[in-house]
């Protein structure tokens, strides 16, 4: 992991606990200590007195110790942060709003694509409608309105990094009702729409069967002048699709372990798994109160 990823993760943890982001001096100290620099050199680099740097660093180690429940010092901060960030990003204990990358952990056991594979992937494959038209086909009929939006900067940048750079295929954003899952997804669409050929928002409020949902998706993809394709995954392979499924908790049964599918809806689990494990260039985002199994 590089320092920027760890810094971002650390900043999220600090923000969740304190509602404040790391300031520029704290970030500078972390970056320099990361590279093995000592306080006198950090003081020069950050343009502050050595005493001031020591004082800020001491407070920072104390804050991080409390948040991460470890005894953090200058000598061990790098190894602790690296270990914690890695295990949290890859094992689903991250902040509440950006739930997890489902595609490479417990359920699917799939790894995130490495940078080389992602780089090799053409941003505009020959069949992609994006080569013919610059604007994506968007259907937000099912989406709520978002009159204004504030904050969530770090969560948004995490999502953008996962989708645009790591090419993560399946993401779950989960949390309590009203916490802002739909809001962040709408903002994400606004900020990433030029990267996709198709964007659609579908709500599972009326508990559509998987086959109904797939029919709706095919009808939507059929708006393109391209010849129709047999399956959703074919569209995911040949085009860059962003599909948001909202209110996914409606297909889970209540009074059971979280994320258990309702009777007759188990095939959704297979569908999500297929999206997570097949090779394609699209992203499915699930918004839910609970993590799917
Ligand atoms: N970051 C935000 N900025 C502005 N309004 C927000 C933000 N997050 C949530 N809201 C507002 O709070 C309400 C609940 O958010 P919503 O995204 O619908 O929650 P959820 O989808 O988690 O149930 C909505 O009215 C929404 O517009
Ligand atoms: Mg919502």
């Amino acid at each position: 992991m590089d320092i920027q990823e760890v810094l971002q993760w650390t900043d999220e943890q600090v923000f969740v606990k304190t509602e404040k982001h790391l300031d520029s001096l704290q970030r500078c100290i972390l970056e320099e200590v990361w590279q093995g620099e000592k306080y006198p050199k950090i003081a020069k680099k950050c343009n502050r007195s050595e005493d001031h740097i020591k004082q800020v660093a001491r407070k920072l180690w104390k804050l991080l110790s409390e948040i991460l429940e470890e005894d953090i010092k200058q000598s061990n901060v790098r190894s602790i942060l690296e270990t914690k960030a890695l295990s949290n990003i890859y094992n689903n204990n991250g902040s509440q709003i950006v739930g997890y990358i489902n595609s490479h952990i417990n359920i699917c056991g799939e790894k995130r694509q490495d940078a080389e594979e992602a780089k090799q992937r053409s941003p505009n494959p020959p069949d992609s409608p994006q080569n013919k038209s610059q604007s994506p086909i968007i259907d937000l009929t099912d989406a709520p309105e978002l009159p204004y939006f504030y904050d969530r900067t770090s969560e948004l940048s995490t999502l953008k990094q996962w989708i645009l750079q790591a090419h993560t295929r399946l993401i779950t954003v989960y949390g309590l009702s009203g916490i802002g899952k739909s809001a962040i997804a709408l903002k994400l669409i606004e900020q990433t729409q030029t990267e996709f050929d198709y964007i659609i928002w579908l709500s599972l409020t009326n508990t559509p069967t998987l086959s109904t949902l797939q029919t709706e998706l095919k009808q939507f993809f059929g708006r393109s002048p391209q010849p129709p394709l047999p399956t959703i995954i074919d569209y995911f392979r040949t085009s860059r699709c962003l599909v948001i499924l909202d209110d996914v908790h409606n297909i889970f049964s209540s009074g059971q372990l979280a994320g258990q599918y309702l009777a007759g809806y188990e095939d959704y689990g297979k569908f999500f798994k297929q999206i997570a494990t097949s090779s394609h260039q699209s992203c499915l985002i699930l918004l839910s109160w609970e993590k799917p199994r």
Side-chain angles (χ1 to χ4, degrees), residues 29 53 59 122 137 139 147 161 198 204 215 221 224 267 280:
I29 291 173
I53 293 293
K59 281 192 192 151
S122 156
I137 300 175
D139 187 337
Q161 202 265 325
Y198 298 94
L204 301 195
T215 306
F221 292 131
S224 139
D267 49 357
H280 60 78

Side-chain angles (χ1 to χ4, degrees), residues 31-54:
E31 281 186 55
E32 295 302 321
V33 169
W34 190 265
Q35 280 153 35
E37 297 298 356
K38 302 283 178 264
Y39 290 137
K41 195 142 182 216
I42 299 175
K44 273 198 194 131
K45 205 146 189 184
C46 300
N47 238 351
R48 302 292 206 306
S49 72
E50 194 179 325
D51 277 351
H52 185 60
I53 293 293
K54 278 186 187 158

Side-chain angles (χ1 to χ4, degrees), residues 174-284:
Y174 67 97
L176 298 176
S177 174
I179 203 170
K181 301 180 293 296
S182 301
I184 198 173
L186 277 165
K187 197 67 186 171
L188 182 74
I189 291 174
E190 187 190 301
Q191 294 188 358
T192 58
Q193 54 181 274
T194 54
E195 304 293 329
F196 292 97
D197 305 314
Y198 298 94
I199 300 176
I200 183 165
W201 185 295
L202 287 172
S203 167
L204 301 195
T205 304
N206 296 325
T207 50
T209 59
L210 179 63
S211 132
T212 306
L213 180 92
Q214 287 176 325
T215 306
E216 272 195 64
L217 280 171
K218 279 191 206 162
Q219 277 168 358
F220 165 68
F221 292 131
R223 289 188 207 166
S224 139
Q226 307 286 313
L229 298 172
T231 65
I232 302 304
I233 205 80
D234 292 322
Y235 287 101
F236 272 38
R237 282 196 188 108
T238 52
S239 302
R240 296 168 307 166
C241 314
L242 175 62
V243 175
I244 316 278
L245 292 189
D246 199 358
D247 297 314
V248 173
H249 46 266
N250 286 290
I251 58 164
F252 299 143
S253 47
S254 51
Q256 300 214 11
L257 284 175
Q260 297 268 31
Y261 295 94
L262 283 172
Y265 287 78
E266 297 87 352
D267 49 357
Y268 267 98
K270 289 196 188 123
F271 177 62
F272 296 156
K273 188 167 178 175
Q274 187 193 21
I275 303 281
T277 54
S278 312
S279 167
H280 60 78
Q281 49 176 341
S282 300
C283 180
L284 174 65

Side-chain angles (χ1 to χ4, degrees), residues 134-176:
Q134 283 306 303
S135 13
I137 300 175
I138 303 185
D139 187 337
L140 299 183
T141 319
D142 260 8
E145 287 202 2
L146 183 64
Y148 56 91
F149 187 82
Y150 55 86
D151 207 10
R152 295 285 189 212
T153 320
S154 73
E155 289 94 340
L156 266 174
S157 70
T158 301
L159 282 170
K160 282 195 280 186
Q161 202 265 325
W162 286 358
I163 296 168
L164 303 180
Q165 281 153 41
H167 297 283
T168 305
R169 293 170 279 225
L170 179 64
I171 294 175
T172 302
V173 178
Y174 67 97
L176 298 176

